[in-house]
Each structure stands twice: as C-alpha cells, then as structure tokens.
C-alpha cells in the first residue's frame, strides 16, 4: 500500500494525483494535509516516512512546492531513501540502483502530466540488487554511525 502526503503548496496537485491513483486502482492512504491552508512540509514528510519505515506501507509519494523540503524531512527517518524527481530516467534509476522507497515531487516544478509519468515509471521500476545492494547497505550503515 502507498502512503501519500504533501503540504499546502501541493494540496490541489495531490488531489489530482489521488484521482490518477484511483483511476489506476492503486490503493493509498493520504496523510495530509487536507486543505490548502498554510502548513509545514516536515510534518507530512515525517508522517509518510514513518509509515513507510515501519513497514505498514511499502512505498510513499511526497509533494511540496519543489519536492526538496519534504524529501529532506523524510530522509531524516531511519530506513528512508527519498528521491526528488523531475524526470523519468532518475525515477527509474533511483529504484533500480538505489532502491528508493519514497518519491518526492515538486508541484511548482513539474506539470501534472509529467508527474503522472514519473509516478508510473517509479512504481513500475524494480530494484536490481547485486552490486547495488552493497551500496544501498553502505548508505544505510551511515545511519548506524549516527546512533
Ligand atoms: C512552501 O512555500 C514551500 O517552501 C514548500 O512547499 C517546499 O517547496 C519546500 O521545500
């Protein structure tokens, strides 16, 4: 199941993405925000990241104005590999090589149709493992040095 979230800058964009996920029959939970009222992207970055890191949700999509702030917040949660994507190549390789578990998008950066293509690409791509697993393990080992 997919966890989705975003701040006020992404509210209407997130509604469109939810409609798209509905059309595709992809189940999700919306962790907010639930109105265009000004709020703070770290709240939703952390909520979705914790939902994914706990294993309750297997992947997440986060949206803010640029995708930057919300991905930075998500990446502070242990076990999260969030990537901001503005193109399909990065979306595919971030899954195939880096095993990203959260996709971040900028509602003020990418058009809605490109965002849908990026989402399709990211959801369909699969982690290749092998030599990439060792490198992902090395990234995750950095978290252990912090605790
Ligand atoms: C909100 O104005 C904006 O700063 C936020 O959505 C995001 O772009 C931050 O990275």
């Amino acid at each position: 199941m997919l966890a989705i979230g975003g701040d006020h800058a992404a509210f209407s964009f997130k509604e469109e993405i939810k409609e798209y996920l509905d059309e595709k029959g992809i189940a999700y939970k919306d962790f907010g925000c639930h109105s265009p009222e000004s709020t703070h992207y770290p709240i939703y970055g952390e909520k979705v990241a914790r939902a994914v890191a706990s294993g309750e949700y297997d992947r997440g999509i986060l949206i803010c104005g640029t995708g930057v702030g919300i991905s930075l917040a998500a990446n502070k949660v242990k076990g999260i590999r969030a990537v901001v994507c503005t193109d399909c190549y990065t979306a595919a390789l971030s899954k195939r090589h880096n095993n990203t578990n959260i996709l971040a998008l900028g509602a003020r950066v990418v058009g809605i149709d490109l965002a849908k293509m990026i989402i399709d690409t990211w959801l369909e791509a699969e982690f290749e493992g092998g030599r990439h697993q060792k490198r992902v393990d090395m990234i995750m080992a950095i978290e252990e040095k912090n605790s």
Side-chain angles (χ1 to χ4, degrees):
M1 175 111 142
L2 178 73
I4 188 167
D7 71 358
H8 57 285
F11 176 69
S12 58
F13 198 92
K14 175 161 61 68
E15 293 304 297
E16 287 192 67
I17 295 300
K18 282 163 57 183
E19 270 179 39
Y20 184 61
L21 295 172
D22 288 338
E23 281 166 24
K24 291 179 71 86
I26 296 172
Y28 60 84
K29 179 177 173 185
D30 184 357
F31 284 80
C33 64
H34 299 292
S35 85
E37 198 179 320
S38 183
T39 180
H40 309 292
Y41 57 79
I43 298 169
Y44 310 99
E46 182 178 4
K47 278 186 182 177
V48 167
R50 292 207 183 282
V52 173
S54 72
E56 199 180 342
Y57 293 80
D58 44 31
R59 52 200 172 181
I61 294 177
L62 285 169
I63 319 168
C64 66
T66 58
V68 174
I70 207 155
S71 62
L72 291 176
N75 275 319
K76 293 294 178 193
V77 174
K78 188 175 176 182
I80 292 304
R81 292 175 301 282
V83 61
V84 189
C85 288
T86 57
D87 67 277
C88 292
Y89 181 81
T90 305
L93 270 290
S94 79
K95 184 72 85 59
R96 283 161 50 187
H97 288 190
N98 315 115
N99 202 15
T100 47
N101 47 16
I102 291 185
L103 170 67
L105 295 164
R108 294 172 177 162
V109 180
V110 294
I112 192 72
D113 287 345
L114 176 56
K116 290 174 184 175
M117 287 178 75
I118 291 170
I119 289 170
D120 286 345
T121 304
W122 187 72
L123 291 178
E124 284 160 22
E126 286 182 17
F127 181 50
E128 291 174 3
R131 70 185 190 281
H132 302 297
Q133 182 65 61
K134 180 181 165 81
R135 294 164 186 164
V136 171
D137 289 345
M138 288 170 74
I139 295 173
M140 304 327 283
I142 297 169
E143 289 177 342
E144 302 306 323
K145 293 182 195 165
N146 291 337
S147 52

